[in-house]
Amino acid sequence: MSGGKSRGAAPVATQIIDCRKCPLRPLPIFRAFTETELAFMRSFKSGESRFESGSTVLMQGTHSAHLYTLLSGWALRYKTLPDGRRQILNFALPGDLIGLQSAIMEEMQHSVETLTDCVFCLFPRDRLWDLFKNHPTLAFDVTWLTSREEDLIGEHLTSVGRRHAIERVAFLLLHLYRRAEQVGLAGGDKASFPFTQQHVADALGMSVVHTNKTIRRLVEARLIRWKERQFAILDRARLAEIALYDLDENTKRPLI
Amino acid sequence: MSGGKSRGAAPVATQIIDCRKCPLRPLPIFRAFTETELAFMRSFKSGESRFESGSTVLMQGTHSAHLYTLLSGWALRYKTLPDGRRQILNFALPGDLIGLQSAIMEEMQHSVETLTDCVFCLFPRDRLWDLFKNHPTLAFDVTWLTSREEDLIGEHLTSVGRRHAIERVAFLLLHLYRRAEQVGLAGGDKASFPFTQQHVADALGMSVVHTNKTIRRLVEARLIRWKERQFAILDRARLAEIALYDLDENTKRPLI
DNA sequence: CGACTTGTTGATGTACATCAAGGTACGTGG
DNA sequence: CCACGTACCTTGATGTACATCAACAAGTCG
């Protein structure tokens, strides 16, 4: 059903990036921050943490002292049923907020695992309140991000509940390609996809075998190419059509 | 696939309830508010709105001047695909926040429809900023609620993606029963369920026919009873077992 | 080198969807 | 009052989109 290894984690911090120099911030997808906001973020950030590919960053049912932001790499969030079946909720890309649940509620309701080597920015959970109290614009951003995340999962749910296999696969691949594009990890209709067909299956509620056959159909129809982690879109319009995907829509978002 | 009628809406306000006298607030599931918080909520609340059963309260793609809280009744949130297939994201019960998306982002990404006659509390969208700025505890609550909603949808996604039909149905019914119970709409293992099997099907990504057959299995196994909108749990432990549902867990939550 | 991960493909099985028909309850207008 | 429609539930027959099983190829790793 799933495939969960869990190589070593390595939360070590060396020299950390000043939020003012954050490499993500210049990307057009992120809104501009004021100097005050940047100063606070810098003081809020308590460190960075590196995890190698395949590490479990947060575990369903546990509780972390930190809130994270993904600075570089790919990760994923998933839930597991008691008997091991696994559902990937979504993929995390640079700029995504991770572990808010454990900061705001009692414990994590899902796990987080890296797909590549990753760097996370660390924010101490107990200073989140400070953010809400003294930086309402940032608090608003946190809510915005959470609300957007909720919507993404809802879109995903609609896929799994009501789209056919080929529609689902087309949708997910297109979705991930576009998200990667927004953070500079894709371009020219090509992207490096660090996940396997098993991951796609676990995200779409399908078996690996059927996932494979479905992907092959898209490849044979010359809509995509995907080999050795290198992904390419050959016919975006047709792909979007199959996916019932709306190619418009694109809003600026905050990067806390 | 779906079944969407849309009777008339009637956003009329007469005398509105003071938040200090909110009938929901005393319920043990909601956290206590300070006098300051209550005073602000009262001033934030701009009215009430009644919708009869089957009304569309908010429409995917539109934009509302208000943020809502469900005061009484049942509603549901759903997305539709361009060709009409419909996925119910979740059900809304008294105390639930509705339409935050349209308040915080550009437009609604899903629709909201009432299942019974409903009363909503109205909050003007443009004063939400005031809440974030001057009432960080409430801002925190909004985030909390959003984060919890995200988790519920994630749980739902796990159901649709990885649970079998009988597990899904058991899970949903148990889940809804417990939520109803928390807001005083159920008790003694009995509840009034205002939705049809078509709704269950649209929530679980199944056909009505198969939903019916699955429900019958649960009835014939004497785990539940469900007739004429009257629902009863006969064997909660067994039902939870089938649903792979964790009967523990129960946290206080805010009611903004 | 074997062990393992990932992708691929065909054969078979099954959980579900679709189709079809009928039953009950409710409302409507004649 | 009945005749008629409509909403919802129910059940059996049939079809299919998917899962499961099995086997193998190619690459990687220790």
Side-chain angles (χ1 to χ4, degrees), chain A residues 29-30 77 90-97 140-156 175 178-180 182-183 249-254, chain B residues 79 100-101 104-105 109 146-147 150 153:
Chain A
I29 186 74
F30 298 111
R77 314 200 290 136
N90 64 15
F91 294 81
L93 280 138
D96 282 1
L97 200 53
F140 201 87
D141 286 345
V142 169
T143 309
W144 194 99
L145 287 168
T146 309
S147 180
R148 172 170 161 283
E149 201 66 32
E150 176 192 338
D151 178 55
L152 283 185
I153 297 183
E155 192 62 53
H156 205 139
H175 170 76
R178 298 194 93 212
R179 291 195 55 201
Q182 288 174 347
V183 292
E249 78 170 64
N250 227 336
T251 348
K252 286 235 176 199
R253 67 185 203 243
Chain B
K79 277 178 184 268
L100 181 67
Q101 268 186 11
I104 221 174
M105 299 165 65
Q109 303 297 321
T146 310
S147 179
E150 177 192 337
I153 298 183

Side-chain angles (χ1 to χ4, degrees), chain A residues 7 14 22 66 70-71 89 100 119 162 168 180 183 231 251 253 256:
Chain A
R7 304 176 203 160
T14 49
C22 179
H66 290 98
L70 184 48
L71 181 57
L89 301 174
L100 181 66
V119 181
R162 289 304 188 199
R168 283 186 221 182
V183 292
F231 175 77
T251 348
R253 67 185 203 243
I256 75 133

Side-chain angles (χ1 to χ4, degrees), chain A residues 1 77 79 81-83 85-89 100-101 103-106 109-110 128-129 132-133 136-137 139-140 142-144 146-151 153-158 160-164 167 198 201-203 205-207 244 249 251, chain B residues 1 77 79 81-83 85-89 100-101 103-106 109-110 128-129 132-133 136-137 139-140 142-144 146-151 153-158 160-164 167 198 201-203 205-207 244 249 251:
Chain A
M1 220 117 271
R77 314 200 290 136
K79 278 179 185 267
L81 293 177
D83 65 0
R85 279 175 275 178
R86 141 166 164 161
Q87 175 67 47
I88 292 178
L89 301 174
L100 181 66
Q101 268 186 11
I104 221 173
M105 301 167 62
E106 292 308 307
Q109 304 297 321
H110 59 258
L128 182 60
W129 171 241
F132 271 82
K133 184 147 191 226
T137 54
F140 201 87
V142 169
T143 309
W144 194 99
T146 309
S147 180
R148 172 170 161 283
E149 201 66 32
E150 176 192 338
D151 178 55
I153 297 183
E155 192 62 53
H156 205 139
L157 170 59
T158 306
V160 175
R162 289 304 188 199
R163 272 184 248 251
H164 298 160
E167 298 169 343
Q198 177 69 64
D202 281 344
M206 297 166 48
S207 70
L244 308 170
E249 78 170 64
T251 348
Chain B
M1 221 117 270
R77 314 200 290 136
K79 277 178 184 268
L81 293 178
D83 65 0
R85 279 174 276 178
R86 143 167 161 158
Q87 175 68 47
I88 293 178
L89 301 174
L100 181 67
Q101 268 186 11
I104 221 174
M105 299 165 65
E106 291 308 307
Q109 303 297 321
H110 59 259
L128 181 60
W129 171 241
F132 270 84
K133 184 147 190 222
T137 55
F140 201 86
V142 169
T143 309
W144 194 98
T146 310
S147 179
R148 173 171 160 284
E149 201 68 31
E150 177 192 337
D151 178 54
I153 298 183
E155 193 61 53
H156 205 138
L157 170 59
T158 305
V160 175
R162 289 304 189 199
R163 271 183 250 252
H164 297 159
E167 298 168 342
Q198 178 69 65
D202 282 344
M206 297 166 49
S207 70
L244 307 171
E249 79 171 66
T251 348

Side-chain angles (χ1 to χ4, degrees), chain B residues 191-203:
Chain B
S192 174
F193 274 180
F195 46 84
T196 68
Q197 297 189 349
Q198 178 69 65
H199 288 117
V200 174
D202 282 344

